[in-house]
Amino acid sequence: MNIVILGAGAIGSLFGALLSKKNNVVLIGRSIHINAIKKENLIIEGFTQFKNKIPAVHSISEIKICPDLIIITVKSYDTESALKKARNIIDKNTVILSFQNGLDNIDKIGKIAVRKQIIAGTTTHGSIFQKPGLIKHTGKGKTVIGELDGRKTGRIMKILDVFNEVGIETKFSKNILKEMWIKTIVNSSINPLTTIFQCKNGYLLENPLLENIVKKVCEESTKIANSEGIYLSIEDMYQKTREVIDDTSENYSSMFQSYKKGKKTEIESINGILIKIGKINDVDITINNILLYIVNSMVN
Ligand SMILES: NC(=O)c1ccc[n+]([C@@H]2O[C@H](COP(=O)([O-])OP(=O)(O)OC[C@H]3O[C@@H](n4cnc5c(N)ncnc54)[C@H](OP(=O)(O)O)[C@@H]3O)[C@@H](O)[C@H]2O)c1
């Protein structure tokens, strides 16, 4: 399969490296990372060991293949600008798969590409961009993908095979939008709270005050999901969040890492969208609003 990774950073480079074992993969990323890959190799350390020169470009005009699949792995706030540049390589049969966190990426992609070409996924793999050319696979996780309308189509089954063949354990979801909501609800507490309190994920359950706030955020975010017709139980979502915190207790969340690097965070696509939906549906958004306000005031 011809695959283009749009946004070769932490997760995109990891998936690109693994997929390149059996597919024609081209990475699109920033010059500094691409030059390091061209000069030396793309090196993956940690749970995946990889050292190879894979095709990598920093400009869409250098892409010579017609992609069957474009995997979008830029941060949510870069989705539209990255995809606009990639417009010319999107064929009518190209499938566009987003692994991004947050709830607004599909709509952003849909402004530029035809909605029926878009599929979505979530992954719990952990990956960190160490330095140009070097990625660390910090946590082995699960990946799910699905059509936006839930159908088990030929193209989704083909992409599942392509992922599983190269060792990215991937399952089909008949409700990928619900999976995205679940991930967003979990992230809505872990990401901002670890950023505000500048702590590892595990500390959220060690400190009783923070543990209580995690519970309150989960409750509010789940009620927002329910108001949108995504029916999830508050207790299940709280347990799920606790599980994720336990499994990643030694990790720093992606939002806290962005903050430490002085970069923009994805809070607008997580808590920001929850607030927007909550306001429309007239449900309480107080805690999400406070978290958004504090994180934004820290980074600006
Ligand atoms: N990392 C993980 O473990 C993980 C796991 C699950 C889901 N996710 C989600 O996956 C998405 C990507 O996360 P990540 O951690 O991989 O982020 P990342 O390391 O920042 O990777 C994104 C890369 O894309 C680059 N980029 C942005 N716009 C571009 C453009 N127009 N052309 C080429 N490259 C461009 C970025 O460069 P700059 O940094 O210079 O902007 C960055 O190198 C996020 O939505 C995240 O929440 C990540």
Side-chain angles (χ1 to χ4, degrees):
M1 187 176 270
N2 289 340
I3 302 173
V4 165
I5 307 284
L6 185 55
I11 201 75
S13 301
L14 171 67
F15 278 8
L18 291 167
L19 289 164
S20 74
K21 290 188 204 166
K22 294 206 169 191
N23 302 277
N24 296 322
V25 172
V26 182
L27 304 180
I28 306 177
R30 300 295 193 200
S31 304
I32 187 164
H33 184 48
I34 299 306
N35 290 342
I37 295 171
K38 282 182 173 166
K39 201 165 162 221
E40 301 287 337
N41 277 302
L42 170 61
I43 301 170
I44 316 270
E45 292 179 349
F47 283 91
T48 294
Q49 299 289 318
F50 181 94
K51 193 172 181 184
N52 214 339
K53 257 190 191 73
I54 68 173
V57 300
H58 58 83
S59 162
I60 300 282
S61 60
E62 295 173 72
I63 301 257
K64 302 291 175 237
I65 60 168
C66 174
D68 302 302
L69 178 66
I70 296 178
I71 302 178
I72 306 193
T73 51
V74 291
K75 287 274 170 72
S76 51
Y77 48 78
D78 281 326
T79 307
E80 282 155 300
S81 61
L83 200 59
K84 269 183 193 155
K85 288 186 193 147
R87 235 181 210 146
N88 289 344
I89 59 163
I90 305 174
D91 176 76
K92 65 177 190 333
N93 295 317
T94 306
V95 177
I96 301 169
L97 164 60
S98 163
F99 274 118
Q100 301 156 287
N101 285 331
L103 286 175
D104 54 355
N105 295 300
I106 301 301
D107 286 343
K108 286 177 182 168
I109 298 167
K111 283 185 195 159
I112 294 148
V114 179
R115 202 172 161 92
K116 67 172 195 265
Q117 291 185 245
I118 309 169
I119 62 172
T122 65
T123 183
T124 56
H125 279 282
S127 188
I128 292 178
F129 190 92
Q130 298 278 76
K131 63 175 189 180
L134 178 63
I135 305 295
K136 186 165 184 189
H137 187 187
T138 50
K140 230 173 154 37
K142 301 235 159 58
T143 302
V144 289
I145 59 171
E147 294 280 354
L148 303 181
D149 61 9
R151 286 180 309 134
K152 206 171 197 171
T153 56
R155 68 182 187 180
I156 206 91
M157 300 320 285
K158 172 81 192 135
I159 295 165
L160 271 178
D161 283 348
V162 164
F163 272 68
N164 283 308
E165 258 179 2
V166 299
I168 307 172
E169 191 192 324
T170 307
K171 294 215 163 90
F172 167 74
S173 167
K174 62 179 185 327
N175 200 342
I176 196 68
L177 297 179
K178 192 172 190 174
E179 299 292 339
M180 291 161 80
W181 269 91
I182 292 171
K183 200 155 186 223
T184 301
I185 293 169
V186 170
N187 282 336
S188 71
S189 58
I190 299 175
N191 272 290
L193 288 172
T194 51
T195 307
I196 295 165
F197 291 91
Q198 311 204 1
C199 61
K200 287 185 177 173
N201 292 355
Y203 185 66
L204 298 180
L205 296 183
E206 284 164 26
N207 178 313
L209 175 69
L210 288 180
E211 187 183 15
N212 198 30
I213 301 176
V214 169
K215 195 171 187 180
K216 299 275 183 225
V217 181
C218 263
E219 187 176 335
E220 187 177 285
S221 298
T222 308
K223 284 182 179 169
I224 297 170
N226 292 344
S227 77
E228 192 68 359
I230 308 290
Y231 298 111
L232 295 160
S233 105
I234 292 169
E235 189 46 39
D236 286 354
M237 288 316 304
Y238 181 52
Q239 284 315 321
K240 174 90 191 151
T241 305
R242 291 187 68 99
E243 271 169 42
V244 173
I245 294 174
D246 277 335
D247 291 347
T248 61
S249 60
E250 284 305 307
N251 296 2
Y252 292 106
S253 72
S254 58
M255 194 173 287
F256 183 37
Q257 287 179 49
S258 296
Y259 166 75
K260 277 201 293 187
K261 288 183 194 159
K263 290 184 123 180
K264 212 169 154 177
T265 74
E266 293 189 296
I267 196 153
E268 293 295 344
S269 297
I270 301 171
N271 306 77
I273 294 294
L274 288 171
I275 292 165
K276 204 167 155 191
I277 294 170
K279 274 186 186 162
I280 295 170
N281 296 343
D282 203 18
V283 292
D284 194 14
I285 49 150
T286 313
I287 310 176
N288 276 284
N289 224 357
I290 293 170
L291 296 177
L292 179 93
Y293 181 82
I294 301 175
V295 170
N296 279 342
S297 65
M298 288 167 72
V299 293
N300 290 330

